[in-house]
Structures are given as C-alpha cells and as structure tokens.
Amino acid sequence: MNSPRLPPAILIMGPTASGKTAVAMALADRFPVELISVDSAQVFRDMDIGTAKPDRATLARYPHRLIDIISPEESYSAARFRADALVAMDEITKASKVPVLVGGTMLYFRALLHGLADLPQADAALRAKIDAEAAAEGWPAMHAKLALLDPTTAARLHTTDSQRLQRALEICRLTGRPMSELLAESEKQKPPYDLLSIGLLPSDRAVLHDRIARRFDEMLLAGLDDEVRLLRQKYDLSLNLPSMRCVGYRQTWEAQDGTIPRQELRDRGIFATRQLAKRQITWLTNSFEAETFDCLNPMLTEQVAEHTARFLAT
C-alpha cells in the first residue's frame, strides 16, 4: 500500500525586492492558503517602513503570521522561529488550508527544513586552551588532531582556518562526539510536510539593484528617519540589538548620531541592501533545492500560480 501523502506546504524564498509578497498574495487569491512571514526584521513591532512590512490594509486582507510579535528590545532566534512556524503550520493544516511561508531570511528557512544542531555553547576556558595549543604547535597541527577526532569535518576545513578548527575541536572535547555527527542528526529533522519550495531569482541583477534603490528612496520619502527617531524615543535601544542592526535602521541611526554624514545615508543604505540581496541569492542558490522563477518576469505570478496548482492537484 502507498503511504498517505503528507499535508502540503509551500515555501516562497527570494532576495529583498524580488516580489515575494506579491506572489504570496496572488496565491492567497487563488488557493485556500494562509501566509506565514519568514522575515527576521518584520517580527519587530513598530518597525514598518524600513522592513517593507505590508501596510495595515494589506495585512487585514492578507493576514501574515509571525509579523509584529516582539518588541525591538528583544531578540528572536532561528530556533524560536522554527518552533513558532511549526505551530502555525499545524494550526493552518488542521483548518484544512495550506501554509505558505514567505520571506527572505534564509537562516530561518534552513532551520525549518533541517532543524538546528544541538551544539554546545562556547566555552571560554577551553577555547583559550585550544588557542594556547595552536600558538605552541600551529594550526596545521591542530587540524591533524581534529582529523583523528572528526575526519569528516577536518576534510572540509583548511589547515589554517583557525576559527572553524577551534570550534570543531571545542565541540569534540565538550561532547565527546564529532561535530559532523551532531550536524547530521539535525539534518533528519525535516518537518512532516510535502513541501513545494519556490525560489525567486533575478535574471539581471542590475534590474534588481534598481528596484532596491527605488524602494529605499520610497522608504526615505515615507519617513524612515522619523520612524527610527520614534523607535529610539519609545524603546531602550542600542546599535548592538538585532533590531537596530537591520539594514536601513543601522545606517539611519548612524546618520542621526553623526557617525556617518547624513548625505551618505541613501548610498550606504542602498549598498547595504544590495549586499543583503547578494547574500540571500547565494544562500538560495547553494543551500536549497527549489523550483526557481525569474522574479523580473512580468508573468511571474501566473507562472507560480500554475506551478502551485499542479502541486496541489497531485
């Protein structure tokens, strides 16, 4: 007998300004789905303009779970996202709908798909001991020690990659187990869903860069500077918090404080956003098996909708 099909779920991944939200809303118009945000910036309340958060009218028509759930003073981890997302997916499935997870935080997608390895926290004393050994013997010698304890990890690390060698040795000595073994266990934590992964990638990065520039200009016109000023008045914030390290917010804060010239805010914000998009594209290209679509194609929403219809019909 064939095993019963797992409940369906859809992932929509892509870099900033690739049109993910528009695609997700188009699916919501056509299919019985509910949306879950996969965005490490949109989790913060009162951070609306700089996160490109859908406006109130849009959210009223197309509700997104995991938006506006914590204060900008708090932190939100990939582990917490995974737990929250799985709860939301289960609730949506039990309501006879299909969860659609949409966003650009690739670490969150990876955590959802593969789980999080149960790795120990850093041990300062042990790290100091490893560093002392390396100072006396050299990192190639430490690499040889790792090869005896964890040959799989050693094989993918360069003999002078001090940071990763230190961490791998630290884990071996703290747990008595190879890091590769612990990571392999986390890979078995795939969620119990029949997943359709959709990746939105640009056929021309220059066009995406133009979109990013236009959107940042729109954020500035919409009052990003005032938003950051109000956030600083309302909350006890610093540049060390994850919320204020978000692209656009850090640069605006620095311009307000005079750390950078105000006339450089636009260029620095656009540059940082383009760098973010580059990292997102690299993650999506190298770390996920997704059906990819050109996010610049005028027929994008129709193409994704047709692909989704075939998936849900099977």
Side-chain angles (χ1 to χ4, degrees):
M1 294 178 61
N2 293 329
S3 299
R5 181 191 178 187
L6 292 171
I10 300 168
L11 313 181
I12 302 176
M13 304 176 277
T16 185
S18 60
K20 299 180 296 293
T21 300
V23 169
M25 293 189 301
L27 295 187
D29 285 335
R30 292 168 168 83
F31 306 103
V33 305
E34 285 194 34
L35 309 182
I36 302 172
S37 171
V38 187
D39 191 302
S40 61
Q42 293 184 0
V43 296
F44 296 112
R45 291 189 291 270
D46 295 323
M47 291 175 56
D48 303 327
I49 297 171
T51 63
K53 193 177 295 177
D55 61 28
R56 291 176 183 270
T58 301
L59 289 175
R61 182 175 177 183
Y62 303 98
H64 287 55
R65 300 194 187 210
L66 305 189
I67 281 182
D68 290 337
I69 58 175
I70 64 171
S71 159
E73 298 167 321
E74 299 177 74
S75 296
Y76 191 77
S77 66
R80 182 174 170 187
F81 166 79
R82 186 176 199 272
D84 289 348
L86 288 172
V87 168
M89 293 171 75
D90 183 58
E91 291 173 353
I92 293 167
T93 298
K94 286 179 177 176
S96 299
K97 293 187 176 182
V98 177
V100 173
L101 294 96
V102 54
T105 303
M106 301 302 165
L107 176 62
Y108 286 6
F109 278 117
R110 177 169 174 76
L112 176 69
L113 292 175
H114 302 295
L116 295 160
D118 188 18
L119 302 180
Q121 293 186 346
D123 185 301
L126 179 54
R127 288 193 169 191
K129 183 178 179 181
I130 293 171
D131 285 342
E133 287 180 43
E137 304 174 32
W139 282 107
M142 304 304 289
H143 184 274
K145 291 183 179 182
L146 178 64
L148 296 174
L149 298 170
D150 185 355
T152 301
T153 299
R156 65 179 179 81
L157 295 182
H158 193 274
T159 57
T160 58
D161 190 347
S162 58
Q163 182 177 354
R164 290 182 174 83
L165 288 170
Q166 179 201 60
R167 179 59 172 158
L169 284 165
E170 176 188 38
I171 290 170
C172 287
R173 294 182 182 183
L174 284 173
T175 67
R177 298 177 64 192
M179 183 173 75
S180 58
E181 186 177 294
L182 296 173
L183 291 173
E185 289 179 356
S186 75
E187 293 292 321
K188 300 176 182 177
Q189 298 179 36
K190 187 174 180 179
Y193 291 87
D194 184 9
L195 296 167
L196 172 63
S197 296
I198 294 171
L200 308 184
L201 291 170
S203 55
D204 185 341
R205 291 202 190 188
V207 178
L208 182 69
H209 288 173
D210 288 342
R211 281 191 183 181
I212 288 170
R214 287 198 303 271
R215 191 165 76 166
F216 196 77
D217 285 338
E218 290 168 359
M219 290 176 179
L220 292 174
L221 288 172
L224 177 59
D225 193 45
D226 289 337
E227 180 173 82
V228 173
R229 189 172 289 108
L230 290 172
L231 286 166
R232 297 179 70 174
Q233 293 172 0
K234 183 174 182 178
Y235 299 100
D236 182 17
L237 301 175
S238 76
L239 279 179
N240 293 323
L241 287 170
S243 60
M244 292 299 105
R245 291 203 299 268
C246 290
V247 168
Y249 289 89
R250 170 179 286 278
Q251 291 77 22
T252 304
W253 180 303
E254 291 173 340
Q256 290 178 353
D257 281 3
T259 307
I260 64 172
R262 179 160 287 276
Q263 63 268 26
E264 292 184 12
L265 168 57
R266 176 184 182 274
D267 288 344
R268 287 180 180 244
I270 291 171
F271 177 78
T273 309
R274 288 176 177 175
Q275 291 299 107
L276 170 62
K278 180 180 179 181
R279 293 193 298 272
Q280 291 169 316
I281 290 170
T282 300
W283 265 87
L284 180 51
T285 303
N286 296 338
S287 301
F288 297 96
E289 294 181 2
E291 298 286 340
T292 59
F293 295 83
D294 178 11
C295 68
L296 307 179
N297 190 325
M299 300 298 292
L300 173 65
T301 55
E302 288 77 8
Q303 290 177 340
V304 174
E306 289 175 6
H307 191 67
T308 300
R310 289 194 293 271
F311 167 73
L312 294 177
T314 57

